[in-house]
């Protein structure tokens, strides 16, 4: 069993010593990788098929799809949202072709998440020996953040996918005997990646550093290829930043507050504190917090073990002369830190915002675990290697079981889905009047009612459209922001014949207030 837990000396020397190709595969670790990738695929597909109720963060960006053309999506967005243009176009396409349901809106994020996992596996097996490649693949395959982002109607799985796409040609520059060829491929990939992901600017910046070193020491072909890479990066980055600035300048509905200010407030912990004395602590908490939560972790130092493995992996690369690969994988983190210090992109506050850093983090952590095990006695190596591998499989299977038991993000969204379904069933084909402004309604209710097949009239347009009908349902979500007016009170001949009430009582009222919705049927009995 010794070969199961320890790569051969030649494979380790070749893989960590700067060879021009991938290490020879270690069959048992390759078989283990296939198992863990299948577990990750099962978890992603299972979570997708469970149809978690759509929730507020997904809906707020989805509300920008109806009524906007593909070109309009490059301009201002409502509801304090920013998103890369290629992702918005993919979502618009899914919305037009397949409708407004959860499965349609989450389809492209799922495809991106699955392809990112497979690309990460290929990358790991190309760059490092069997045991390290297994752990680098497994950390991404069964980590909760990449899995959940793959089944969320948000752009974060695109960040992960395009980061892997950029790393593939970038690492080939380091191993190819003709580096100008992968440089040209990188120049073609960068524009697509940056249009599909804002934080992939960090990965593209790291790739440019690596390509610059190769071009500096290479022939005229490498230097010309680097110029193309740099030009593709600069011009696409300028376009992407222009789109981002348009989105950040969008109005939020609050007087004097645009999306930029709203984002700054929401992600305030991702920017450095006012006192310079607290900066080192802020950086340390960021580097050991959620951005390295693979496969599990928490904020404020809760992922310190993974961070230690990342440091060991980076040192293993530097020690064996592969410092350029270490630079390629670590520089995106450094560039994210610089952006955070400049208050341009949050650093260390959330793993979902740092999905573009995940491939490099998992590759380094996998190599660090391998280096840690290599320092143990052979028997302990075997036991720890098998134990960690089995543990990662259990993390993936346990995550799937948990999702099957609780197929929702929060119970309130289950209640919202059930309430909307009951409203649709009760009202049938009768017209429905929403007795409040759209701005004051919960966005999930708003999304569901906007896509009701039968007529829906809003408070601004309802009075002039009630005359031709004899019965109408009036819906109201009662909250502190909604104007509590009775639209039907002064309409002669109309009388209430039925009333229903839907209440949500949270388990922890101190964290969230209750929600009440009313549905009333009015009939026109004449003067």
């Amino acid at each position: 069993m010794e070969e199961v837990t320890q790569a051969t000396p030649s494979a380790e020397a070749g893989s960590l010593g700067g060879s021009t190709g991938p290490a020879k595969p270690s069959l048992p670790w390759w078989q283990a990788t296939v198992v863990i990738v299948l577990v990750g695929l099962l978890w992603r597909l299972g979570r997708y098929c469970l149809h978690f109720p759509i929730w507020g963060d997904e809906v707020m960006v989805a509300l920008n799809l109806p009524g906007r053309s593909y070109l309009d999506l490059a301009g201002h967005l409502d509801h304090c949202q920013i998103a890369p243009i290629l992702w918005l176009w993919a979502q618009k396409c899914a919305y037009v072709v397949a409708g407004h349901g959860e499965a349609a809106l989450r389809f492209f994020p799922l495809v991106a998440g699955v392809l990112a996992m497979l690309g990460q596996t290929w990358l790991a097996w190309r760059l490092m020996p069997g045991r390290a490649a297994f752990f680098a693949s497994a950390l991404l395959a069964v980590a909760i953040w990449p899995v959940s982002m793959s089944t969320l109607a948000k752009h974060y799985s695109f960040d992960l996918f395009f980061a892997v796409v950029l790393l593939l040609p970038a690492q080939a520059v380091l191993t190819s005997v003709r580096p100008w060829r992968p440089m040209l491929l990188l120049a073609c990939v960068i524009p697509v990646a940056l249009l599909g992901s804002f934080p992939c600017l960090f990965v593209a910046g790291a790739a440019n550093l690596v390509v610059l070193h190769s071009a500096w020491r290479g022939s005229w072909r490498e230097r010309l290829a680097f110029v193309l890479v740099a030009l593709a990066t600069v011009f696409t980055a300028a376009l992407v930043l222009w789109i981002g600035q348009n989105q950040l300048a969008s109005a939020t509905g609050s007087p004097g507050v645009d999306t930029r200010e709203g984002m700054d407030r929401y992600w305030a912990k991702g920017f450095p504190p006012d006192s310079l004395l607290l900066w080192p602590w802020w950086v340390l908490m960021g580097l050991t917090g959620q951005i390295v939560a693979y496969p599990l972790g928490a904020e404020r130092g809760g992922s310190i073990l993974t961070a230690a493995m990342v440091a060991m992996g980076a040192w293993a690369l530097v020690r064996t002369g592969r410092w350029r690969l270490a630079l390629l994988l670590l520089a995106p983190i450094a560039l994210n830190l610089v952006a955070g210090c400049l208050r341009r992109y949050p650093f260390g506050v959330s793993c979902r915002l740092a999905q573009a850093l995940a491939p490099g983090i998992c590759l380094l952590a996998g190599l660090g675990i391998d280096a840690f095990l290599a320092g143990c006695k052979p028997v302990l190596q075997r036991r720890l290697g098998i134990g960690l591998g089995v543990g990662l499989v259990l993390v993936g299977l346990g995550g799937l079981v948990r999702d099957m038991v609780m197929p929702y993000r929060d119970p309130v969204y289950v209640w919202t889905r059930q309430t909307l379904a009951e409203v649709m069933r009760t009202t049938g084909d009768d017209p429905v009047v929403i007795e409040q402004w759209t701005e004051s309604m919960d966005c999930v209710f708003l999304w569901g009612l906007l896509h009701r097949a039968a007529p829906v009239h809003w408070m601004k347009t309802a009075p002039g459209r009630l005359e031709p009908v004899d019965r109408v349902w009036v819906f109201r979500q009662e909250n502190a922001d909604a104007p509590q007016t009775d639209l039907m009170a002064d309409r002669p001949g109309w009388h209430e014949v039925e009333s229903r009430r839907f209440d949500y009582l949270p388990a922890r009222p101190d964290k969230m207030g209750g929600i009440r919705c009313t549905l009333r049927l009015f009939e026109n009995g004449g003067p």
Side-chain angles (χ1 to χ4, degrees), residues 75 91 130 133 198 305 324 407 428 467 497 527:
Q91 292 299 94
F198 290 131
L305 291 179
R324 290 190 300 166
E467 302 303 332
V497 297

Side-chain angles (χ1 to χ4, degrees), residues 87-144:
W87 180 83
L88 287 170
W89 286 349
Q91 292 299 94
K92 178 71 174 182
C93 178
Y95 174 76
V96 171
V97 172
H100 70 284
E102 293 96 338
L105 296 178
R106 295 169 181 164
F107 175 74
F108 283 112
L110 174 69
V111 172
V114 170
L115 291 178
M117 179 182 63
L118 298 178
Q120 172 81 356
T121 302
W122 190 93
L123 196 58
W125 276 89
R126 179 167 178 79
L127 291 174
M128 54 192 64
R131 185 171 62 194
F134 164 77
F135 285 113
S137 306
L139 289 174
L140 188 74
V142 298
I144 177 61

Side-chain angles (χ1 to χ4, degrees), residues 284-285 287-289 292 296-298 300-310:
L284 179 62
M285 291 297 98
L287 291 174
T288 58
V292 289
L296 303 170
R300 301 186 62 81
S303 308
I304 192 169
L305 291 179
T306 306
M309 293 300 102
V310 170

Side-chain angles (χ1 to χ4, degrees), residues 382-408:
R382 175 170 176 256
R383 292 177 178 175
L384 285 178
I386 294 175
L388 288 174
V390 172
L392 288 169
V393 171
L394 293 178
V395 168
L397 294 177
L400 177 59
V401 171
R402 184 203 60 185
D403 288 341
M404 294 174 66
V405 174
M406 296 186 298
Y408 50 82

